[in-house]
Structures are given as C-alpha cells and as structure tokens.
Amino acid sequence: MLIRLLYTLILSLASPLLLYGLYKNKPGKPSFGQRWKEHFGITPQINGKNPIWIHAVSVGESIAATPIIKQLKQQAPDQAIIVTTTTSTGAEQIAKLGDLVEHRYMPIDFSWCIRAFLKVVQPKQMLIMETELWPNTLHCVAKAGIPISVLNARLSERSCQRYAKFQSVFDLLAENLSQVLCQYPSDAERFVRLGLDGKCVHVTGSIKFDIEVSSEQVEKGKALRETIGSERCVWIAASTHQGEDDIVLDAHKQLLKDNPNTLLMIVPRHPERFNQVTELAKHYQFNTITRTSQHPIASDVEVYIADTMGEMLVLLGGADVCFMGGSLIGDKVGGHNLLEPAALQLPLLNGPSYFNFSEITDKLLEAQAVTICQNSNEIAGQLRELFTQPELRKDKGLAAYQVIEQNRGALEKTLKHILS
C-alpha cells in the first residue's frame, strides 16, 4: 500500500511532463482531438456488454494483438472486444480493424481514472500485450474481480535484474496477475525467478511467428515494385532510429559507386523524424523523394523515404533485402522484430544490438538467414554480395521463411488459455 502511494505521488509530479510528450504535435502524428478526455477515464459507452479488454500500448503491440482479435471474433462472433492504446498512432493501427473492435484511449494510471473507465466498460477480463504493467491499473482491475492475463510476455535478463533490485515493486505488480503467457522458456524462468507462482506462468511461444501476410498487402507490394522497376537493386532500412540513418546512407553511397541503379528505402521508426531523415538524405546529396509526395520513383531516384504509418509489409514487398534498424545504436533500443521481412522471404541484415529480440534473431542466425553488420562498410559489403548472387539471396530468404513456419502455433495455445 505504501509503495503504491509513493508511486502515485511520483506519477502525479511527473504526469504534466508525460502528458506534454503525449499531446505534443509532431509531424505525421495523428491528433487526439476531443478524445483526450479518455486518458482521464471519461470514456463513452460501448456497444457490447462485458467485453474482453485488450491493452496494446502503441503500434507494435497493436499489430501483435491483431491475430488474437481476429481469432477471438472468429470463435465467438458476438463477443465484444475493446482495445485500449496509449498513443494516437496505436489508435490509427487499431482503426484498420473496423467493426471487429471498439477503441478507447488507455486511462492514465491513477486509480480514479481506472475506476471511472471500469464503471463504464465493465470488462470480463483484461489481456495485456507483452509487458505493459501499471501498478494502479492492475490493483483496480484485480480488486474488481477481473482476471488479468499478460500475453506474448517477454522479460529480458537485463529487465529481470532491474526488477530484482526493486523486488517489492515487482511483487506489487505480480500479485494481481492471473496468468502470464510467455514467448520462451527463458522468459518464464525469469518471471518465476522473480517470485511469480509457476502455476500461472505458461510458455505459449511468440505470437509474432503466426504472422499472416494478406493477399492485399502482397499485391500492393508487387505494385510498388513495378513502380520502382524489377531491374533495380532495392534494399530497405526498416524502423531506423536517430543515429542510424547516417550509417545507412553512408552504406548506400558506397553501393552506388559499384551499382548506380540501386535504390534505398528508409522507414524511420517514429513519424516525427520523417522530415529530419528526408533532409538528411538530401544533405548527403541523394536524389530523394518521399512516399507522401506521390512523385514517380524514376530511375534516377536514389533514396525513397517512407513517411507513412502501417505500411511496412507493403514496403518490404517492394524490396530485395532488408536491414533492420534499432540495432546499430548500442544498448538504447535492442533491435526490432525481423519476422515481417522473413515472412516475405527477404534475406536479412541486422546490427549487433538485438537483446529485445534475441530469441527470434538467434533462430534466424542459426538458420543463416540473417547477417550481423557492425558498421556501414559491412552493410555495404553484404549488400554487394547479395545483389551479385541472386541464388544466395533466394536461399537466405527461404531460410528466414522456414524459421517462421517451424515456430508457428503460439496463437492457438494463447487462445486456449484466454478462453479457459
């Protein structure tokens, strides 16, 4: 009780800064509009009764939740589902599901906000994607008799050690959880090591391996590639962060010396960086266009900036090779998910930092489907090799896809635990 009171006091002091960051206008970021009230528990009535409540903080978690939502609706068409996100970009992703779900913004982690939300929504259970755990939310939901499940849970060794230093805080969170469905045995072992009852910890695998690429996305990817030209060498730098674009652009400059017909597509991770990355590419004196400009991708275009959200699979469908960002800037990010390009049978390049996706990356490394690159020279070298050897490119892409096929099944296991 005392710890939670102290936490609430700290949150009260920090909330103005948190809200400022949340509501600050940024290029490419959707507006909250009048819906900002939902962050304070002022939530409109929903259409169904006793919905399943899924919380997916932002875009990545929303994408991971999508197959669960579709399967739940397939098995129980009349079951209402409400999805909360914290960010407006997450809301934009959930909006693509249409009438399958209703969306609300997640209340701030003050007890009065959560209680107001629960009074209106009255969910039958709460499903949290990955490990988005808030003390007051968990306390209020559990006190209301609503079971809480954490899905696709992961806990890195680094996070485990940090929680261990504040064991009482972790205990405060853990006592409210009904079940934790982990991606890997190593995640489950860490949760148990921190004191979670082993009976409520289960290994279901990573839902992300159950990725499905729709025929619509495939066709859009093919259309993009036709626009680019099948004769060009195309590589994509996906989900790049501040400090990585310079490295990527330097690698591209090296490539163009040998093959001036090469095109680089850059997909910045955060929309507020779209303009910044575009200007950086122009500073490097590349002929650069953006996706939103809708200019034709002429043969003299060298860099294509994907300044849109939610189109990653389409963009990947237009490329020959994928380099995954978030992996070149030391321990700041810890990599991103390589399974989307793997699902499209693309050979993969990655930086040396991938601790947040170590299990997935290790499986791909074992299959020789991904190559770790330390710097721009190594990225350029690997790309030269892949572009000059089409069979090697095909073999590595197929190996990446086979890793996905061999690890499917997490969705079915997860649903069994949810429905039980």
Side-chain angles (χ1 to χ4, degrees):
M1 182 66 175
L2 182 61
I3 295 172
R4 200 160 56 83
L5 285 173
L6 180 60
Y7 160 77
T8 302
L9 176 62
I10 294 171
L11 180 63
S12 300
L13 296 173
S15 57
L17 286 175
L18 296 173
L19 289 171
Y20 174 75
L22 190 62
Y23 295 134
K24 183 180 179 181
N25 290 327
K26 297 176 182 177
K29 176 184 174 183
S31 170
F32 287 96
Q34 293 300 310
R35 294 187 62 191
W36 61 269
K37 299 173 186 176
E38 293 174 28
H39 283 126
F40 295 89
I42 305 172
T43 296
Q45 292 286 339
I46 65 167
N47 292 321
K49 289 185 177 181
N50 302 120
I52 292 176
W53 171 19
I54 301 175
H55 178 56
V57 60
S58 192
V59 176
E61 294 81 5
S62 298
I63 292 171
T66 297
I68 294 174
I69 292 166
K70 289 180 177 179
Q71 285 295 314
L72 282 172
K73 292 300 284 188
Q74 186 175 330
Q75 295 192 26
D78 296 330
Q79 172 62 60
I81 299 175
I82 185 169
V83 181
T84 54
T85 66
T86 302
T87 67
S88 55
T89 49
E92 193 174 53
Q93 183 67 38
I94 294 300
K96 296 177 182 179
L97 292 171
D99 296 335
L100 285 180
V101 300
E102 289 190 66
H103 174 269
R104 298 291 185 271
Y105 284 113
M106 180 70 178
I108 303 170
D109 195 36
F110 290 116
S111 296
W112 58 274
C113 296
I114 303 300
R115 285 196 294 265
F117 174 86
L118 293 175
K119 185 177 180 180
V120 173
V121 175
Q122 298 181 3
K124 66 191 299 183
Q125 65 172 307
M126 181 184 189
L127 310 178
I128 301 174
M129 293 306 302
E130 300 188 0
T131 320
E132 182 75 11
L133 306 178
W134 294 94
N136 288 329
T137 296
L138 297 180
H139 173 77
C140 291
V141 174
K143 190 175 180 181
I146 300 164
I148 303 170
S149 301
V150 183
L151 312 186
N152 220 36
R154 54 182 180 151
L155 185 66
S156 68
E157 183 61 33
R158 174 180 301 189
S159 297
C160 180
Q161 291 176 7
R162 286 175 180 169
Y163 274 126
K165 292 178 182 178
F166 304 95
Q167 186 66 51
S168 56
V169 175
F170 182 83
D171 293 342
L172 185 69
L173 301 171
E175 66 184 10
N176 298 306
L177 300 178
S178 306
Q179 60 180 348
V180 178
L181 309 183
C182 298
Q183 295 187 24
Y184 298 102
S186 57
D187 298 308
E189 183 274 327
R190 292 178 190 120
F191 277 109
V192 173
R193 194 197 313 167
L194 285 170
L196 210 62
D197 186 349
K199 293 179 181 178
C200 71
V201 180
H202 310 281
V203 179
T204 52
S206 173
I207 295 168
K208 293 178 179 178
F209 281 107
D210 289 287
I211 183 172
E212 296 289 346
V213 183
S214 70
S215 57
E216 180 186 5
Q217 290 168 320
V218 170
E219 290 306 313
K220 286 182 177 180
K222 288 180 179 178
L224 173 61
R225 186 52 192 248
E226 287 175 6
T227 303
I228 295 170
S230 59
E231 75 286 350
R232 298 194 69 177
C233 297
V234 184
W235 67 294
I236 184 170
S239 296
T240 61
H241 288 251
Q242 180 84 33
E244 293 185 311
D245 303 289
D246 290 276
I247 300 171
V248 165
L249 290 166
D250 185 61
H252 192 54
K253 182 175 284 188
Q254 295 180 47
L255 276 174
L256 289 177
K257 292 177 182 177
D258 301 322
N259 186 354
N261 200 30
T262 305
L263 175 70
L264 164 63
M265 293 194 286
I266 303 182
V267 190
R269 178 71 174 181
H270 300 111
E272 59 267 26
R273 296 186 56 247
F274 288 161
N275 292 338
Q276 176 190 343
V277 177
T278 302
E279 291 306 312
L280 182 64
K282 290 178 179 178
H283 176 74
Y284 271 77
Q285 299 184 330
F286 289 119
N287 184 5
T288 304
I289 65 170
T290 63
R291 184 160 176 78
T292 56
S293 71
Q294 297 186 332
H295 292 154
I297 309 173
S299 58
D300 61 343
V301 172
E302 298 165 316
V303 175
Y304 183 62
I305 307 295
D307 55 343
T308 58
M309 295 292 290
E311 290 195 298
M312 183 65 81
L313 284 166
V314 174
L315 295 161
L316 289 166
D320 298 308
V321 182
C322 174
F323 171 81
M324 186 56 69
S327 58
L328 283 170
I329 46 178
D331 294 338
K332 293 181 181 178
V333 179
H336 289 301
N337 184 9
L338 287 162
L339 295 181
E340 285 188 336
L344 290 166
Q345 300 189 31
L346 293 183
L348 308 168
L349 304 179
N350 206 72
S353 178
Y354 52 86
F355 57 83
N356 274 329
F357 294 87
S358 56
E359 287 88 354
I360 289 173
T361 308
D362 287 343
K363 287 180 185 295
L364 290 163
L365 281 168
E366 186 178 344
Q368 299 184 346
V370 61
T371 303
I372 304 301
C373 302
Q374 304 287 335
N375 50 48
S376 61
N377 292 338
E378 292 188 10
I379 294 172
Q382 288 297 321
L383 287 167
R384 282 194 201 96
E385 185 176 2
L386 289 166
F387 284 139
T388 55
Q389 299 183 52
E391 284 302 314
L392 176 64
R393 201 164 67 234
K394 182 179 178 181
D395 290 345
K396 284 186 173 290
L398 183 59
Y401 180 73
Q402 287 172 342
V403 169
I404 291 180
E405 289 300 299
Q406 291 163 4
N407 289 276
R408 289 188 183 276
L411 182 56
E412 183 180 350
K413 294 175 184 176
T414 300
L415 285 169
K416 284 182 179 179
H417 284 286
I418 294 172
L419 297 173
S420 66

